[in-house]
Every structure is written in C-alpha cells, then in structure tokens.
Amino acid sequence: MTPFEIAQGYIGTTEGPGPEDNPAIVEMYASVGHDWVEHDSVAWCAAFVGHCLEKAGLKSTRRLNARSYLDWGIPVDLVEAQPGDIVVFSRGSKSWQGHVGFFVKTTGAMIEVLGGNQSDAVNIQRYAKSRLLGVRRAGNVAPAVTLSVHEVQARLKVLGYHEVGQVDGKFGPRTRAAILAFRDEVGLPLVPIIDVALTEALASAEPRPVAPERAAGVPEGSRIVTAANAQVGLGVLGAAASVAAQITPALNQAEEARDTAERVLDLVGLADAVQAALPWIGAAVFIGVIFYALKARNARIEDHRSGKTP
C-alpha cells in the first residue's frame, strides 16, 4: 500500500474524548521515534504523515515539526502535484509553525488535504494556496528495506542478544523480548515490531557490552556446572582407586617375588596381561570422564560470561 492509501484508512480517527487518549494516535508518535509522547493533544500532523510513510516502507523525517518535510524528497510544482504528494503550509505567527498532510486536489484558491490533527481528527479539509510552503514527492527517498524475522534473529545473536533463542524465523515471545531489549538499548520506541528504524539500528549497532562482574563470574545454581564438578570428583576418586588397585598388588608381588625370571614368566600369558592392564584402562576411562566434564563446565561458564546464557 502507498502512504496515501494508508492515510485514507485512518479517515475518521479522532482524538480521545476529554482527558482520554486514542491509542492509535499515540502509536503514531511512537512509530516515528517519539514514544515519550503520552497524550494525543500534542500536535500530531507530522506524526501522522511520518507514520503512514514508515508503514509504507519509506523513511520519514521522524520529526514532529511539520516544516521538516520541506527538506524531504524532491520539490514539485503545485500544478504538477498528484494525490499522495506531501504539502506543507504555514500556520500561526512563528516561523517554525506549520501543518503537513497529503495532497488530494486543488479547488480554486484552495487545496484539499488529507491529514491528521485537522480539527483533532484525520479527515480532508481545505487550505488556502496562499499558505502553501511547498509540495514534496518521494522521488529520491529510496524504499526502506526491512529485515525478515530470520535475519533479525541472526543479527541479534551476533550482537549478543542471546535471549532471542533459536534462529528459526518464528516471531515468538523470545524474539519479541530480544527486540524490545535491543530497542531499549539504542533508544528506539518500545514496540515489538520490525520496522525501518529497527533495521537501520541493527545494521550500525555495536555488540552488546557484557558487565565486568559477569565477564569474570560463574553462573549461580547451574546444574551443568554442578554435574560437571561431581563428575570431576568421581573421576579423580575412580582414577586414584584404579591406580591404587594396580600399584598395591604390584608392591606385594615385588615383595614376594623371588627372582626376575619367575615374574617374567607370570606375565607371559595373555589373560594375565589383560588382567594386569584392566586397572590402567579403568584409570584412563575416569581420566576421560574428568576431561569431558571439565570441557562441559568451561563451556557453560564461557556461555555465561559472554552473555549467551543466564
């Protein structure tokens, strides 16, 4: 849909009655980077135009100043204006004041404009040509490219937002949480959506910093670390027992042996050789258990320190 078509879909939207605020209008502020605005009483004609542009995939000025659109896109003569072009008008007595909306058509000395905050609503009203400051068209504004869910997940992983979970292309609760965490970190509106602003921020963002105490710490209450420590302990005891089982008989045999020849003859048989090697094989197994337990433990600690896991 074009920005103009999106704008037409909002016709009839009005500010909330009395002190109440219309969430649809409040969302418009947030979509152009102004989630600090909490009330729809704040001038919102520029927010409306920017919201429609962003939803259509075009970068807006992301400002609440109507006159900011005098520098957007390319200039167009009024006689060549087309429905959907952006028109900017003067308003009030101050140089920064203005009004912005979408051109509909000219009628004599008037211009019909589809805009927001026109009598506190989205509608079509007429404005004098004498107040026109400029007509702008998207011309040199390249269509904004937004990333897919899969691409956003992958980028968040690279940046250290591991709470995103698996890179599976599904927009689930973990992906929403990671997007909100990133948006909060870079100062974007806290809405779990993939828009132009998020795409641009992800492209230029630096990796998420890891707190010094976390970078040098170990995970508390980790079952992996606890199990690894237990395996290391059992492995040490098992290896020690296996070696002891081999050394003790050897010492006894050494004491009881009468000469070297008799001892060599006792070790010639294959069964005797295997029997003698079993304790050493057991020790090797326990050493292997220790090695892989330490490896798992260190990997878990590294994941913690890098922020991949809690």
Side-chain angles (χ1 to χ4, degrees), residues 214-257:
R214 183 184 181 96
V218 296
E220 296 181 2
S222 170
R223 290 180 295 176
I224 294 177
V225 172
T226 300
N229 289 338
Q231 289 178 346
V232 171
L234 291 174
V236 170
L237 291 176
S242 296
V243 172
Q246 174 66 10
I247 293 176
T248 300
L251 292 174
N252 292 334
Q253 289 176 8
E255 293 176 358
E256 297 172 357

Side-chain angles (χ1 to χ4, degrees), residues 147-157 160-184 189-195 198 202 208:
L147 299 175
S148 66
V149 175
H150 190 280
E151 290 170 326
V152 169
Q153 291 172 328
R155 180 60 180 159
L156 286 170
K157 278 268 193 182
Y161 292 82
H162 301 287
E163 60 266 43
V164 72
Q166 293 183 342
V167 180
D168 55 10
K170 298 179 181 178
F171 201 86
R174 297 192 66 174
T175 298
R176 290 190 184 91
I179 287 176
L180 287 173
F182 174 78
R183 294 180 79 102
D184 183 54
L190 295 181
V191 286
I193 60 174
I194 299 174
D195 56 8
L198 177 70
L202 285 171
R208 187 188 213 176

Side-chain angles (χ1 to χ4, degrees), residues 81 275 305:
Q275 185 65 29
R305 290 177 175 176

Side-chain angles (χ1 to χ4, degrees), residues 47-63:
F48 172 71
V49 169
H51 176 72
C52 295
L53 290 172
E54 300 274 348
K55 286 195 69 174
L58 291 173
K59 186 189 298 183
S60 69
T61 66
R62 296 177 187 163
R63 297 173 63 185

Side-chain angles (χ1 to χ4, degrees), residues 102-115:
F102 294 99
F103 176 84
V104 178
K105 65 180 181 179
T106 58
T107 304
M110 307 297 287
I111 300 173
E112 291 190 9
V113 178
L114 167 55

